[in-house]
Amino acid sequence: MADFTKKAIRSAFIKLLNEKPLKQISVRDIVDECGINRNTFYYHFQDIPQLLESIAREDANRIVLENPEIHSIEECLDAIVSFSLENRRAVLHIFRSVNRDIFEQYQWRVCEYAVTTFIDGIPESKELSAEDRDVIITYVKCVCFGLVMNWLENGLQEDVRSFVHRMCQLKQGELLEMIHRCIQ
């Protein structure tokens, strides 16, 4: 029953976030939306920021489970932006709130997972030193994170998938070239 209630609270919160900014949502709004009392909310969550962090952590875990292998930078970025595309208004409301840092930490964790999974799936990467592997992962992670933050900063306006596809076409082979430079 507790899992069901937590899911109901999360769903109600996301629904409300798709309707109005975070600063306009109260615990009362959430409990009214899902038909529970305030004590039930506080049994599961300390406050709204903790609820937001729980949602971010749950989505990051979902991405990990749904993407045990990632074969390209495009797949990395697709995994990273999937929640944002499904919940545009909610994400923008979070991104423009005082709790933006929670969302940025979530994006950073997802970028790290996606990029590490991708890099470790490249056969040549097995020959990298630990230091070079970390340098390459950090570089690609920062590029992905920067692209996502820029897209969010611009209000999710552009078609991010088309942009990423074009960027990958222009940078094709760059990552393997970096790896080969390290192992030669």
Side-chain angles (χ1 to χ4, degrees):
M1 188 61 133
D3 241 12
F4 176 79
T5 304
K6 282 177 113 172
K7 286 179 183 178
I9 292 169
R10 288 181 185 127
S11 294
F13 182 58
I14 291 171
K15 179 181 183 288
L16 290 167
L17 269 174
N18 276 303
E19 295 171 1
K20 56 186 172 181
L22 180 60
K23 66 183 177 189
Q24 293 178 8
I25 299 173
S26 66
V27 171
R28 168 66 48 210
D29 295 329
I30 297 167
V31 299
D32 287 348
E33 181 67 33
C34 61
I36 61 171
N37 64 44
R38 290 175 67 83
N39 289 340
T40 303
F41 176 89
Y42 289 115
Y43 175 78
H44 294 287
F45 302 101
Q46 178 181 340
D47 53 20
I48 290 177
Q50 187 189 41
L51 169 59
L52 181 58
E53 192 171 333
S54 171
I55 290 169
R57 192 174 41 257
E58 182 181 278
D59 195 58
N61 291 338
R62 178 191 59 80
I63 288 169
V64 168
L65 290 172
E66 290 177 1
N67 298 282
E69 294 181 7
I70 296 178
H71 303 289
S72 69
I73 295 293
E74 285 185 69
E75 282 184 38
C76 286
L77 283 160
D78 197 53
I80 294 164
V81 302
S82 63
F83 182 81
S84 299
L85 289 170
E86 294 164 12
N87 298 282
R88 284 179 178 269
R89 291 189 68 198
V91 166
L92 286 174
H93 286 147
I94 295 166
F95 188 73
R96 294 177 179 149
S97 77
V98 295
N99 298 106
R100 174 181 176 162
D101 63 319
I102 293 170
F103 186 73
E104 286 179 353
Q105 290 168 14
Y106 151 77
Q107 288 291 346
W108 189 251
R109 284 192 308 262
V110 172
C111 283
E112 183 165 23
Y113 168 77
V115 169
T116 301
T117 301
F118 169 58
I119 299 294
D120 287 347
I122 298 171
E124 292 90 341
S125 73
K126 307 292 185 252
E127 299 177 44
L128 290 170
S129 69
E131 184 179 320
D132 285 340
R133 177 185 172 274
D134 289 346
V135 167
I136 290 172
I137 287 173
T138 300
Y139 167 73
V140 176
K141 178 175 58 174
C142 289
V143 168
C144 290
F145 183 78
L147 286 169
V148 172
M149 289 299 112
N150 183 63
W151 177 57
L152 288 163
E153 198 67 52
N154 290 321
L156 310 176
Q157 294 302 315
E158 67 223 24
D159 177 5
V160 71
R161 287 185 169 125
S162 294
F163 178 84
V164 168
H165 178 72
R166 181 63 180 142
M167 182 197 67
C168 289
Q169 285 177 324
L170 295 172
K171 296 177 76 58
Q172 186 174 15
E174 179 184 78
L175 185 58
L176 277 176
E177 190 174 316
M178 288 172 66
I179 291 171
H180 288 141
R181 278 191 207 130
C182 292
I183 58 179
Q184 291 180 349

